[in-house]
Amino acid sequence: MGTDCQTPEASPPPASLRVLARRPEFLALNRGHRAPAGSFLLQGRDRGDGTPGIGVGFTCSKKVGNAVARNRAKRRLREAARLVLPDLGRPGWDYALIGRAGVTADRPFEALLDDLRRALAKVHGAR
């Protein structure tokens, strides 16, 4: 019994995410592109080192609120990045998502995802 099944072309696997943790990595993003979104600020830049992974970092200042509010905002940003960046982020790029006071923690999650998609389009369309 033979079947002639054609396998569909597989899409390339999404790029892997790595977390930015060191201050120099965040400072290097200041030389990149900025895209204010409704609920956060996105900074992005091409590392130019030829490594394929996507770097992502998260930060919230004390203006966002107490530790509970800052951690909630960062958790939401991490989840949004986990869902969106593997598909829309560019390999070899680093991104920082910077939370905003009174908005990041309270914005509906679908709107937060849309903000990230729009901000990525702005960062990649810049220049």
Side-chain angles (χ1 to χ4, degrees), residues 59-65 70 98-99:
T59 186
C60 291
S61 72
K62 288 190 177 182
K63 291 179 185 179
V64 172
R70 290 192 307 271
I98 303 167

Side-chain angles (χ1 to χ4, degrees), residues 36-114:
S39 53
F40 59 90
L41 173 70
L42 177 70
Q43 292 180 323
R45 78 174 185 99
D46 185 358
R47 285 189 310 272
D49 62 1
T51 57
I54 296 173
V56 62
F58 311 92
T59 186
C60 291
S61 72
K62 288 190 177 182
K63 291 179 185 179
V64 172
N66 62 12
V68 174
R70 290 192 307 271
N71 287 332
R72 180 169 192 257
K74 286 190 281 187
R75 275 195 311 272
R76 291 168 54 86
L77 291 173
R78 272 193 296 272
E79 182 62 13
R82 186 187 69 80
L83 294 172
V84 173
L85 281 179
D87 295 326
L88 298 179
R90 291 189 180 167
W93 278 62
D94 286 340
Y95 302 97
L97 285 78
I98 303 167
R100 286 194 168 159
V103 189
T104 305
D106 299 328
R107 186 134 167 108
F109 192 69
E110 285 302 318
L112 191 75
L113 294 174
D114 290 339

